[in-house]
Amino acid sequence: MQLEFGLICLVLSDILQVKIMGIFQIISLFFALFMAYVVRIHYYRSILSLLEASAWYSLWFLFAVLAVFPDLLQGISDYLHFDRVFDFLIVGAFMVISVLVVRTYFKYREIKITLEKIIEEQAQQDIMSKLHKRNLYKKTLVVSS
Amino acid sequence: MNKLFRTKNKIAIILPAFNEELSLDSLLNEIKLHFKKQFYIVVVDDGSDDETFKIASKYTNFVLRHAVNLGKGAALRTGCKFAFSILDVNSVIMMDADQQHAVDDLLKFIKKINKGYGLIFGVRSFKGMPRFAAFANKVTSLILKIIYGIYIPDILSGYKAISRKVYERLNWQAVGYEVEIDIAKIVAREKIPFITLPIKTIYLDQIKGVSFVDAVRVWFNLLGFK
């Protein structure tokens, strides 16, 4: 009885695993298509140049191909001594995400500093023009000198 | 009181203000009433969306405005830059615009500035302080002491006076509330001499003070993380 139950569980989990992988592949495919659509929108809004859009299209095309045929990576995966292609993909994805996070952080810091400078300089310019307009600048300097 | 101002010291009060329409009017009125024209009042409206700018403009010609809210550190930077480079003052007194710093204490600061002190930290008594704020303050001072070997009490109090010479050495980068930590760190690192000055402890708004998240951020900043 226990043996039969174990066998049923094994078969079920096997079927389930195949189904999950299948669904995962479909989701990945749709995700790639959606991202390609996002690239298209950005290209038509002139946010991306033709070259940039082409690069992004290629990336998502590659992503879609690998999602449908993950075995294409089997050779590289074996060469790098990964047990499964999935492990290789996870490590690769983690590396890409890490690079993107670090790059985004540096970019964010750069933009933040630039924005602060602009706002602070603008505040100084505004008050100077206000003081000049009201002829207060000269008065201020006389008072303070 | 007038004897105090018969010195070569030109002083500006820097008031960073973000949505302070409720307190700014009475604060500026009180300053004007007590001190008339003895020093410049520089208000930095840090991107307020209320009447802060309008109210400040009633009392002083020196109202700077940030187009968007940057934070206390940035507002102080803008105010100090203006005061030292355009108004050509010798010292500035940094004060909060939310009336949690007593106007009477300004006199104590001026006395010390006139005695030639370059950096004066206003220090509140922990007695009248909410428990968490007192705890956060003590921990902050302790961390600074452990890392830099210098004990500065009540680092988080924004009431302080800085001379031109000290300002040139400070050059803080923090834009938000971490500015107090940034200044304390530079003071400790550069071994800038300072004195402390007892000031009144006023807590009008319990919610507005240092929250747990602010405290953690401040401690991380103290440890070198931004």
mmCIF file of all heavy atoms in Angstrom, chain A residues 105 109 112 115-116 119-124 126-128 130-131 134 136-137 140-141 143-145, chain B residues 10 40 53 57 61-68 70 74 77-78 81-82 86-88 173 175 226:
data_model
loop_
_atom_site.group_PDB
_atom_site.id
_atom_site.type_symbol
_atom_site.label_atom_id
_atom_site.label_comp_id
_atom_site.label_asym_id
_atom_site.label_seq_id
_atom_site.Cartn_x
_atom_site.Cartn_y
_atom_site.Cartn_z
ATOM 1 N N TYR A 105 22.601 52.350 -9.085
ATOM 2 C CA TYR A 105 22.928 53.084 -7.869
ATOM 3 C C TYR A 105 23.898 54.234 -8.167
ATOM 4 O O TYR A 105 23.691 55.362 -7.734
ATOM 5 C CB TYR A 105 23.521 52.136 -6.823
ATOM 6 C CG TYR A 105 23.958 52.856 -5.574
ATOM 7 C CD1 TYR A 105 23.015 53.339 -4.662
ATOM 8 C CD2 TYR A 105 25.302 53.083 -5.308
ATOM 9 C CE1 TYR A 105 23.413 54.017 -3.524
ATOM 10 C CE2 TYR A 105 25.707 53.765 -4.170
ATOM 11 C CZ TYR A 105 24.759 54.225 -3.282
ATOM 12 O OH TYR A 105 25.155 54.909 -2.164
ATOM 13 N N ARG A 109 23.137 58.227 -7.816
ATOM 14 C CA ARG A 109 23.950 59.144 -7.019
ATOM 15 C C ARG A 109 24.398 60.341 -7.867
ATOM 16 O O ARG A 109 24.357 61.481 -7.422
ATOM 17 C CB ARG A 109 25.200 58.431 -6.472
ATOM 18 C CG ARG A 109 24.919 57.376 -5.472
ATOM 19 C CD ARG A 109 24.726 57.896 -4.087
ATOM 20 N NE ARG A 109 25.875 58.627 -3.583
ATOM 21 C CZ ARG A 109 25.878 59.300 -2.452
ATOM 22 N NH1 ARG A 109 24.783 59.345 -1.731
ATOM 23 N NH2 ARG A 109 26.945 59.944 -2.038
ATOM 24 N N LYS A 112 21.452 62.583 -8.543
ATOM 25 C CA LYS A 112 21.068 63.248 -7.289
ATOM 26 C C LYS A 112 21.991 64.438 -7.020
ATOM 27 O O LYS A 112 21.524 65.538 -6.716
ATOM 28 C CB LYS A 112 21.151 62.236 -6.148
ATOM 29 C CG LYS A 112 20.526 62.679 -4.870
ATOM 30 C CD LYS A 112 20.463 61.500 -3.909
ATOM 31 C CE LYS A 112 20.162 61.946 -2.516
ATOM 32 N NZ LYS A 112 21.321 62.233 -1.709
ATOM 33 N N LEU A 115 21.335 67.186 -9.531
ATOM 34 C CA LEU A 115 20.070 67.854 -9.227
ATOM 35 C C LEU A 115 20.223 68.810 -8.041
ATOM 36 O O LEU A 115 19.746 69.944 -8.074
ATOM 37 C CB LEU A 115 19.008 66.797 -8.911
ATOM 38 C CG LEU A 115 17.573 67.284 -8.853
ATOM 39 C CD1 LEU A 115 17.083 67.677 -10.228
ATOM 40 C CD2 LEU A 115 16.669 66.197 -8.287
ATOM 41 N N GLU A 116 20.922 68.339 -7.012
ATOM 42 C CA GLU A 116 21.155 69.192 -5.831
ATOM 43 C C GLU A 116 21.891 70.465 -6.230
ATOM 44 O O GLU A 116 21.518 71.560 -5.822
ATOM 45 C CB GLU A 116 22.002 68.429 -4.806
ATOM 46 C CG GLU A 116 21.224 67.450 -3.968
ATOM 47 C CD GLU A 116 22.142 66.458 -3.267
ATOM 48 O OE1 GLU A 116 23.328 66.783 -3.051
ATOM 49 O OE2 GLU A 116 21.668 65.359 -2.966
ATOM 50 N N ILE A 119 19.586 72.839 -8.192
ATOM 51 C CA ILE A 119 18.584 73.492 -7.335
ATOM 52 C C ILE A 119 19.222 74.538 -6.429
ATOM 53 O O ILE A 119 18.702 75.640 -6.259
ATOM 54 C CB ILE A 119 17.799 72.435 -6.517
ATOM 55 C CG1 ILE A 119 16.932 71.598 -7.460
ATOM 56 C CG2 ILE A 119 16.926 73.082 -5.457
ATOM 57 C CD1 ILE A 119 16.372 70.344 -6.862
ATOM 58 N N GLU A 120 20.384 74.199 -5.877
ATOM 59 C CA GLU A 120 21.064 75.150 -4.987
ATOM 60 C C GLU A 120 21.540 76.385 -5.755
ATOM 61 O O GLU A 120 21.381 77.508 -5.288
ATOM 62 C CB GLU A 120 22.244 74.458 -4.294
ATOM 63 C CG GLU A 120 21.788 73.505 -3.189
ATOM 64 C CD GLU A 120 22.904 72.699 -2.554
ATOM 65 O OE1 GLU A 120 24.062 73.156 -2.590
ATOM 66 O OE2 GLU A 120 22.615 71.615 -2.039
ATOM 67 N N GLU A 121 22.090 76.148 -6.938
ATOM 68 C CA GLU A 121 22.552 77.283 -7.749
ATOM 69 C C GLU A 121 21.386 78.154 -8.180
ATOM 70 O O GLU A 121 21.474 79.383 -8.195
ATOM 71 C CB GLU A 121 23.326 76.780 -8.970
ATOM 72 C CG GLU A 121 24.793 76.537 -8.629
ATOM 73 C CD GLU A 121 25.521 75.754 -9.696
ATOM 74 O OE1 GLU A 121 25.048 75.732 -10.853
ATOM 75 O OE2 GLU A 121 26.559 75.146 -9.363
ATOM 76 N N GLN A 122 20.271 77.494 -8.528
ATOM 77 C CA GLN A 122 19.068 78.223 -8.941
ATOM 78 C C GLN A 122 18.569 79.120 -7.803
ATOM 79 O O GLN A 122 18.204 80.278 -8.021
ATOM 80 C CB GLN A 122 17.974 77.230 -9.354
ATOM 81 C CG GLN A 122 16.732 77.860 -9.973
ATOM 82 C CD GLN A 122 17.037 78.594 -11.261
ATOM 83 O OE1 GLN A 122 17.696 78.044 -12.140
ATOM 84 N NE2 GLN A 122 16.601 79.840 -11.370
ATOM 85 N N ALA A 123 18.605 78.589 -6.577
ATOM 86 C CA ALA A 123 18.170 79.371 -5.406
ATOM 87 C C ALA A 123 19.050 80.607 -5.227
ATOM 88 O O ALA A 123 18.545 81.705 -4.950
ATOM 89 C CB ALA A 123 18.230 78.493 -4.157
ATOM 90 N N GLN A 124 20.366 80.435 -5.427
ATOM 91 C CA GLN A 124 21.296 81.569 -5.294
ATOM 92 C C GLN A 124 21.031 82.606 -6.383
ATOM 93 O O GLN A 124 20.992 83.807 -6.116
ATOM 94 C CB GLN A 124 22.756 81.090 -5.393
ATOM 95 C CG GLN A 124 23.163 80.043 -4.382
ATOM 96 C CD GLN A 124 23.473 80.603 -2.998
ATOM 97 O OE1 GLN A 124 23.566 81.805 -2.828
ATOM 98 N NE2 GLN A 124 23.583 79.729 -2.019
ATOM 99 N N ASP A 126 18.265 83.107 -8.063
ATOM 100 C CA ASP A 126 16.960 83.756 -7.854
ATOM 101 C C ASP A 126 17.067 84.902 -6.860
ATOM 102 O O ASP A 126 16.550 85.991 -7.099
ATOM 103 C CB ASP A 126 15.933 82.734 -7.345
ATOM 104 C CG ASP A 126 15.468 81.792 -8.437
ATOM 105 O OD1 ASP A 126 15.811 82.058 -9.610
ATOM 106 O OD2 ASP A 126 14.803 80.793 -8.125
ATOM 107 N N ILE A 127 17.732 84.641 -5.754
ATOM 108 C CA ILE A 127 17.814 85.698 -4.722
ATOM 109 C C ILE A 127 18.690 86.853 -5.204
ATOM 110 O O ILE A 127 18.392 88.019 -4.936
ATOM 111 C CB ILE A 127 18.284 85.160 -3.348
ATOM 112 C CG1 ILE A 127 18.003 86.234 -2.287
ATOM 113 C CG2 ILE A 127 19.736 84.758 -3.334
ATOM 114 C CD1 ILE A 127 17.824 85.757 -0.922
ATOM 115 N N MET A 128 19.728 86.534 -5.959
ATOM 116 C CA MET A 128 20.587 87.603 -6.467
ATOM 117 C C MET A 128 19.814 88.500 -7.414
ATOM 118 O O MET A 128 19.921 89.726 -7.331
ATOM 119 C CB MET A 128 21.811 87.013 -7.183
ATOM 120 C CG MET A 128 22.820 86.359 -6.255
ATOM 121 S SD MET A 128 23.289 87.386 -4.884
ATOM 122 C CE MET A 128 24.287 88.582 -5.706
ATOM 123 N N LYS A 130 16.647 88.910 -7.428
ATOM 124 C CA LYS A 130 15.642 89.627 -6.620
ATOM 125 C C LYS A 130 16.279 90.837 -5.931
ATOM 126 O O LYS A 130 15.722 91.927 -5.924
ATOM 127 C CB LYS A 130 15.056 88.660 -5.584
ATOM 128 C CG LYS A 130 13.757 89.131 -4.967
ATOM 129 C CD LYS A 130 13.219 88.124 -3.980
ATOM 130 C CE LYS A 130 13.514 88.570 -2.575
ATOM 131 N NZ LYS A 130 13.059 87.630 -1.549
ATOM 132 N N LEU A 131 17.468 90.615 -5.385
ATOM 133 C CA LEU A 131 18.155 91.712 -4.695
ATOM 134 C C LEU A 131 18.551 92.815 -5.678
ATOM 135 O O LEU A 131 18.443 93.996 -5.373
ATOM 136 C CB LEU A 131 19.403 91.183 -3.967
ATOM 137 C CG LEU A 131 19.156 90.279 -2.754
ATOM 138 C CD1 LEU A 131 20.464 89.731 -2.211
ATOM 139 C CD2 LEU A 131 18.402 91.005 -1.654
ATOM 140 N N ARG A 134 15.380 94.826 -6.708
ATOM 141 C CA ARG A 134 14.916 95.760 -5.672
ATOM 142 C C ARG A 134 16.024 96.718 -5.233
ATOM 143 O O ARG A 134 15.852 97.441 -4.246
ATOM 144 C CB ARG A 134 14.427 94.979 -4.461
ATOM 145 C CG ARG A 134 13.194 94.149 -4.720
ATOM 146 C CD ARG A 134 12.647 93.727 -3.398
ATOM 147 N NE ARG A 134 11.704 92.641 -3.544
ATOM 148 C CZ ARG A 134 11.247 91.922 -2.527
ATOM 149 N NH1 ARG A 134 11.668 92.179 -1.306
ATOM 150 N NH2 ARG A 134 10.384 90.962 -2.710
ATOM 151 N N LEU A 136 18.626 96.073 -3.777
ATOM 152 C CA LEU A 136 19.027 95.747 -2.408
ATOM 153 C C LEU A 136 20.436 95.190 -2.349
ATOM 154 O O LEU A 136 21.043 95.144 -1.296
ATOM 155 C CB LEU A 136 18.069 94.708 -1.807
ATOM 156 C CG LEU A 136 16.722 95.240 -1.344
ATOM 157 C CD1 LEU A 136 15.758 94.088 -1.120
ATOM 158 C CD2 LEU A 136 16.875 96.055 -0.075
ATOM 159 N N TYR A 137 20.937 94.758 -3.495
ATOM 160 C CA TYR A 137 22.247 94.117 -3.508
ATOM 161 C C TYR A 137 23.329 95.085 -3.021
ATOM 162 O O TYR A 137 24.121 94.763 -2.152
ATOM 163 C CB TYR A 137 22.553 93.608 -4.914
ATOM 164 C CG TYR A 137 23.855 92.859 -5.010
ATOM 165 C CD1 TYR A 137 24.065 91.705 -4.262
ATOM 166 C CD2 TYR A 137 24.884 93.306 -5.825
ATOM 167 C CE1 TYR A 137 25.264 91.012 -4.319
ATOM 168 C CE2 TYR A 137 26.079 92.624 -5.896
ATOM 169 C CZ TYR A 137 26.263 91.475 -5.147
ATOM 170 O OH TYR A 137 27.455 90.804 -5.211
ATOM 171 N N THR A 140 22.940 95.856 0.581
ATOM 172 C CA THR A 140 23.421 94.740 1.384
ATOM 173 C C THR A 140 24.925 94.757 1.514
ATOM 174 O O THR A 140 25.475 94.609 2.589
ATOM 175 C CB THR A 140 22.995 93.400 0.723
ATOM 176 O OG1 THR A 140 21.609 93.432 0.578
ATOM 177 C CG2 THR A 140 23.404 92.207 1.561
ATOM 178 N N LEU A 141 25.589 94.994 0.375
ATOM 179 C CA LEU A 141 27.049 95.006 0.383
ATOM 180 C C LEU A 141 27.577 96.166 1.221
ATOM 181 O O LEU A 141 28.547 96.011 1.949
ATOM 182 C CB LEU A 141 27.578 95.110 -1.044
ATOM 183 C CG LEU A 141 27.494 93.830 -1.853
ATOM 184 C CD1 LEU A 141 28.074 94.053 -3.228
ATOM 185 C CD2 LEU A 141 28.234 92.693 -1.165
ATOM 186 N N VAL A 143 26.088 97.577 3.728
ATOM 187 C CA VAL A 143 25.834 97.233 5.137
ATOM 188 C C VAL A 143 26.901 96.264 5.639
ATOM 189 O O VAL A 143 27.421 96.393 6.715
ATOM 190 C CB VAL A 143 24.421 96.610 5.296
ATOM 191 C CG1 VAL A 143 24.256 96.019 6.688
ATOM 192 C CG2 VAL A 143 23.367 97.682 5.088
ATOM 193 N N SER A 144 27.194 95.291 4.771
ATOM 194 C CA SER A 144 28.085 94.233 5.248
ATOM 195 C C SER A 144 29.567 94.552 5.096
ATOM 196 O O SER A 144 30.405 93.855 5.615
ATOM 197 C CB SER A 144 27.778 92.915 4.522
ATOM 198 O OG SER A 144 28.001 93.088 3.163
ATOM 199 N N SER A 145 29.873 95.623 4.364
ATOM 200 C CA SER A 145 31.314 95.896 4.157
ATOM 201 C C SER A 145 31.854 96.785 5.284
ATOM 202 O O SER A 145 31.122 97.411 6.006
ATOM 203 C CB SER A 145 31.535 96.563 2.812
ATOM 204 O OG SER A 145 30.851 97.775 2.790
ATOM 205 N N LYS B 10 29.848 90.009 12.143
ATOM 206 C CA LYS B 10 28.583 90.105 11.413
ATOM 207 C C LYS B 10 27.990 88.706 11.411
ATOM 208 O O LYS B 10 28.649 87.750 10.999
ATOM 209 C CB LYS B 10 28.827 90.591 9.982
ATOM 210 C CG LYS B 10 28.922 92.101 9.913
ATOM 211 C CD LYS B 10 29.355 92.561 8.572
ATOM 212 C CE LYS B 10 30.840 92.355 8.420
ATOM 213 N NZ LYS B 10 31.353 92.750 7.121
ATOM 214 N N TYR B 40 21.535 89.425 10.225
ATOM 215 C CA TYR B 40 20.779 89.047 9.030
ATOM 216 C C TYR B 40 19.974 87.784 9.315
ATOM 217 O O TYR B 40 20.462 86.888 10.000
ATOM 218 C CB TYR B 40 21.718 88.742 7.865
ATOM 219 C CG TYR B 40 22.579 89.883 7.437
ATOM 220 C CD1 TYR B 40 23.946 89.880 7.704
ATOM 221 C CD2 TYR B 40 22.039 90.946 6.729
ATOM 222 C CE1 TYR B 40 24.749 90.916 7.292
ATOM 223 C CE2 TYR B 40 22.844 91.993 6.312
ATOM 224 C CZ TYR B 40 24.188 91.979 6.604
ATOM 225 O OH TYR B 40 24.978 93.004 6.190
ATOM 226 N N PHE B 53 7.330 80.572 2.055
ATOM 227 C CA PHE B 53 8.102 81.588 1.327
ATOM 228 C C PHE B 53 7.502 82.978 1.533
ATOM 229 O O PHE B 53 8.207 83.948 1.813
ATOM 230 C CB PHE B 53 8.147 81.228 -0.164
ATOM 231 C CG PHE B 53 8.984 82.169 -0.977
ATOM 232 C CD1 PHE B 53 10.374 82.046 -1.014
ATOM 233 C CD2 PHE B 53 8.391 83.188 -1.708
ATOM 234 C CE1 PHE B 53 11.143 82.920 -1.754
ATOM 235 C CE2 PHE B 53 9.167 84.070 -2.452
ATOM 236 C CZ PHE B 53 10.540 83.938 -2.477
ATOM 237 N N SER B 57 9.182 86.094 3.516
ATOM 238 C CA SER B 57 9.470 87.312 2.751
ATOM 239 C C SER B 57 8.950 88.573 3.450
ATOM 240 O O SER B 57 9.417 89.678 3.168
ATOM 241 C CB SER B 57 8.862 87.216 1.355
ATOM 242 O OG SER B 57 9.397 86.095 0.701
ATOM 243 N N ASN B 61 14.580 90.089 3.567
ATOM 244 C CA ASN B 61 14.811 90.112 2.117
ATOM 245 C C ASN B 61 15.570 88.880 1.660
ATOM 246 O O ASN B 61 15.650 88.613 0.473
ATOM 247 C CB ASN B 61 15.648 91.341 1.751
ATOM 248 C CG ASN B 61 14.830 92.607 1.840
ATOM 249 O OD1 ASN B 61 13.675 92.638 1.408
ATOM 250 N ND2 ASN B 61 15.416 93.638 2.412
ATOM 251 N N PHE B 62 16.121 88.184 2.626
ATOM 252 C CA PHE B 62 16.992 87.070 2.262
ATOM 253 C C PHE B 62 16.283 85.726 2.399
ATOM 254 O O PHE B 62 16.550 84.965 3.328
ATOM 255 C CB PHE B 62 18.265 87.123 3.101
ATOM 256 C CG PHE B 62 18.900 88.482 3.116
ATOM 257 C CD1 PHE B 62 19.126 89.157 4.304
ATOM 258 C CD2 PHE B 62 19.228 89.120 1.928
ATOM 259 C CE1 PHE B 62 19.682 90.419 4.311
ATOM 260 C CE2 PHE B 62 19.778 90.386 1.924
ATOM 261 C CZ PHE B 62 20.005 91.044 3.119
ATOM 262 N N VAL B 63 15.387 85.505 1.479
ATOM 263 C CA VAL B 63 14.677 84.227 1.465
ATOM 264 C C VAL B 63 15.087 83.476 0.202
ATOM 265 O O VAL B 63 14.803 83.906 -0.909
ATOM 266 C CB VAL B 63 13.148 84.408 1.498
ATOM 267 C CG1 VAL B 63 12.456 83.055 1.659
ATOM 268 C CG2 VAL B 63 12.731 85.340 2.605
ATOM 269 N N LEU B 64 15.778 82.397 0.398
ATOM 270 C CA LEU B 64 16.190 81.569 -0.745
ATOM 271 C C LEU B 64 15.185 80.437 -0.884
ATOM 272 O O LEU B 64 14.588 80.000 0.112
ATOM 273 C CB LEU B 64 17.589 81.000 -0.520
ATOM 274 C CG LEU B 64 18.705 82.037 -0.502
ATOM 275 C CD1 LEU B 64 19.151 82.325 0.902
ATOM 276 C CD2 LEU B 64 19.877 81.569 -1.332
ATOM 277 N N ARG B 65 15.033 79.995 -2.121
ATOM 278 C CA ARG B 65 14.013 78.965 -2.326
ATOM 279 C C ARG B 65 14.536 77.803 -3.166
ATOM 280 O O ARG B 65 15.017 78.018 -4.280
ATOM 281 C CB ARG B 65 12.820 79.607 -3.041
ATOM 282 C CG ARG B 65 11.602 78.742 -3.080
ATOM 283 C CD ARG B 65 10.501 79.473 -3.809
ATOM 284 N NE ARG B 65 9.205 79.084 -3.315
ATOM 285 C CZ ARG B 65 8.073 79.646 -3.697
ATOM 286 N NH1 ARG B 65 8.106 80.647 -4.543
ATOM 287 N NH2 ARG B 65 6.924 79.226 -3.231
ATOM 288 N N HIS B 66 14.410 76.619 -2.627
ATOM 289 C CA HIS B 66 14.722 75.426 -3.418
ATOM 290 C C HIS B 66 13.485 75.051 -4.222
ATOM 291 O O HIS B 66 12.383 75.014 -3.659
ATOM 292 C CB HIS B 66 15.098 74.252 -2.508
ATOM 293 C CG HIS B 66 16.484 74.335 -1.953
ATOM 294 N ND1 HIS B 66 16.940 73.509 -0.965
ATOM 295 C CD2 HIS B 66 17.534 75.145 -2.283
ATOM 296 C CE1 HIS B 66 18.196 73.805 -0.692
ATOM 297 N NE2 HIS B 66 18.574 74.792 -1.464
ATOM 298 N N ALA B 67 13.687 74.759 -5.501
ATOM 299 C CA ALA B 67 12.538 74.433 -6.364
ATOM 300 C C ALA B 67 11.836 73.162 -5.889
ATOM 301 O O ALA B 67 10.622 73.032 -5.992
ATOM 302 C CB ALA B 67 13.005 74.270 -7.794
ATOM 303 N N VAL B 68 12.603 72.224 -5.378
ATOM 304 C CA VAL B 68 12.018 71.003 -4.804
ATOM 305 C C VAL B 68 12.669 70.742 -3.448
ATOM 306 O O VAL B 68 13.737 71.276 -3.157
ATOM 307 C CB VAL B 68 12.207 69.746 -5.701
ATOM 308 C CG1 VAL B 68 11.429 69.849 -6.971
ATOM 309 C CG2 VAL B 68 13.679 69.497 -5.984
ATOM 310 N N LEU B 70 14.886 69.271 -0.897
ATOM 311 C CA LEU B 70 16.130 68.491 -0.913
ATOM 312 C C LEU B 70 16.461 67.921 0.455
ATOM 313 O O LEU B 70 16.959 66.823 0.576
ATOM 314 C CB LEU B 70 17.296 69.366 -1.382
ATOM 315 C CG LEU B 70 17.342 69.795 -2.844
ATOM 316 C CD1 LEU B 70 18.568 70.637 -3.110
ATOM 317 C CD2 LEU B 70 17.342 68.595 -3.771
ATOM 318 N N ALA B 74 20.975 70.241 2.672
ATOM 319 C CA ALA B 74 21.094 71.043 1.449
ATOM 320 C C ALA B 74 20.649 72.477 1.731
ATOM 321 O O ALA B 74 21.269 73.437 1.243
ATOM 322 C CB ALA B 74 20.257 70.430 0.339
ATOM 323 N N ARG B 77 23.294 74.260 3.537
ATOM 324 C CA ARG B 77 24.404 74.536 2.617
ATOM 325 C C ARG B 77 24.109 75.791 1.800
ATOM 326 O O ARG B 77 24.948 76.679 1.672
ATOM 327 C CB ARG B 77 24.584 73.323 1.700
ATOM 328 C CG ARG B 77 25.981 73.140 1.201
ATOM 329 C CD ARG B 77 26.236 71.736 0.767
ATOM 330 N NE ARG B 77 25.251 71.247 -0.204
ATOM 331 C CZ ARG B 77 25.061 69.962 -0.471
ATOM 332 N NH1 ARG B 77 25.773 69.058 0.156
ATOM 333 N NH2 ARG B 77 24.160 69.572 -1.346
ATOM 334 N N THR B 78 22.872 75.841 1.255
ATOM 335 C CA THR B 78 22.468 76.998 0.447
ATOM 336 C C THR B 78 22.521 78.264 1.294
ATOM 337 O O THR B 78 23.035 79.303 0.862
ATOM 338 C CB THR B 78 21.035 76.781 -0.097
ATOM 339 O OG1 THR B 78 21.026 75.582 -0.859
ATOM 340 C CG2 THR B 78 20.579 77.923 -0.975
ATOM 341 N N LYS B 81 26.168 79.237 2.224
ATOM 342 C CA LYS B 81 26.896 79.736 1.052
ATOM 343 C C LYS B 81 26.517 81.198 0.788
ATOM 344 O O LYS B 81 27.378 82.038 0.549
ATOM 345 C CB LYS B 81 26.556 78.864 -0.162
ATOM 346 C CG LYS B 81 27.492 79.055 -1.332
ATOM 347 C CD LYS B 81 27.116 78.129 -2.452
ATOM 348 C CE LYS B 81 27.846 78.517 -3.727
ATOM 349 N NZ LYS B 81 27.345 77.754 -4.872
ATOM 350 N N PHE B 82 25.236 81.466 0.866
ATOM 351 C CA PHE B 82 24.740 82.825 0.629
ATOM 352 C C PHE B 82 25.256 83.770 1.710
ATOM 353 O O PHE B 82 25.742 84.866 1.421
ATOM 354 C CB PHE B 82 23.208 82.809 0.601
ATOM 355 C CG PHE B 82 22.604 84.167 0.442
ATOM 356 C CD1 PHE B 82 22.635 84.825 -0.777
ATOM 357 C CD2 PHE B 82 22.006 84.800 1.522
ATOM 358 C CE1 PHE B 82 22.086 86.090 -0.918
ATOM 359 C CE2 PHE B 82 21.448 86.060 1.391
ATOM 360 C CZ PHE B 82 21.489 86.711 0.168
ATOM 361 N N ILE B 86 27.828 86.139 -0.026
ATOM 362 C CA ILE B 86 27.149 87.368 -0.453
ATOM 363 C C ILE B 86 27.011 88.366 0.699
ATOM 364 O O ILE B 86 27.361 89.537 0.570
ATOM 365 C CB ILE B 86 25.752 87.061 -1.066
ATOM 366 C CG1 ILE B 86 25.872 86.043 -2.200
ATOM 367 C CG2 ILE B 86 25.059 88.342 -1.534
ATOM 368 C CD1 ILE B 86 26.726 86.468 -3.381
ATOM 369 N N LEU B 87 26.516 87.904 1.821
ATOM 370 C CA LEU B 87 26.346 88.821 2.956
ATOM 371 C C LEU B 87 27.670 89.074 3.676
ATOM 372 O O LEU B 87 27.774 89.989 4.476
ATOM 373 C CB LEU B 87 25.322 88.251 3.940
ATOM 374 C CG LEU B 87 23.903 88.057 3.403
ATOM 375 C CD1 LEU B 87 23.006 87.452 4.474
ATOM 376 C CD2 LEU B 87 23.307 89.374 2.932
ATOM 377 N N ASP B 88 28.631 88.208 3.387
ATOM 378 C CA ASP B 88 29.974 88.372 3.932
ATOM 379 C C ASP B 88 29.999 88.401 5.463
ATOM 380 O O ASP B 88 30.684 89.220 6.074
ATOM 381 C CB ASP B 88 30.606 89.649 3.359
ATOM 382 C CG ASP B 88 32.111 89.645 3.501
ATOM 383 O OD1 ASP B 88 32.685 88.549 3.531
ATOM 384 O OD2 ASP B 88 32.694 90.734 3.614
ATOM 385 N N GLN B 173 28.446 67.014 3.030
ATOM 386 C CA GLN B 173 27.825 66.510 1.801
ATOM 387 C C GLN B 173 26.389 66.041 2.024
ATOM 388 O O GLN B 173 25.628 65.897 1.064
ATOM 389 C CB GLN B 173 28.637 65.336 1.239
ATOM 390 C CG GLN B 173 30.065 65.686 0.849
ATOM 391 C CD GLN B 173 30.149 66.741 -0.219
ATOM 392 O OE1 GLN B 173 29.454 66.665 -1.224
ATOM 393 N NE2 GLN B 173 30.976 67.752 -0.012
ATOM 394 N N VAL B 175 22.518 65.764 2.639
ATOM 395 C CA VAL B 175 21.435 66.671 2.241
ATOM 396 C C VAL B 175 20.257 66.638 3.219
ATOM 397 O O VAL B 175 19.501 67.578 3.317
ATOM 398 C CB VAL B 175 20.919 66.384 0.811
ATOM 399 C CG1 VAL B 175 21.903 66.836 -0.227
ATOM 400 C CG2 VAL B 175 20.572 64.926 0.629
ATOM 401 N N LYS B 226 25.858 55.304 3.476
ATOM 402 C CA LYS B 226 24.956 56.388 3.088
ATOM 403 C C LYS B 226 23.765 55.840 2.333
ATOM 404 O O LYS B 226 23.852 54.826 1.715
ATOM 405 C CB LYS B 226 25.695 57.398 2.237
ATOM 406 C CG LYS B 226 26.599 58.246 3.107
ATOM 407 C CD LYS B 226 27.181 59.390 2.332
ATOM 408 C CE LYS B 226 28.064 60.217 3.250
ATOM 409 N NZ LYS B 226 28.667 61.332 2.575
#
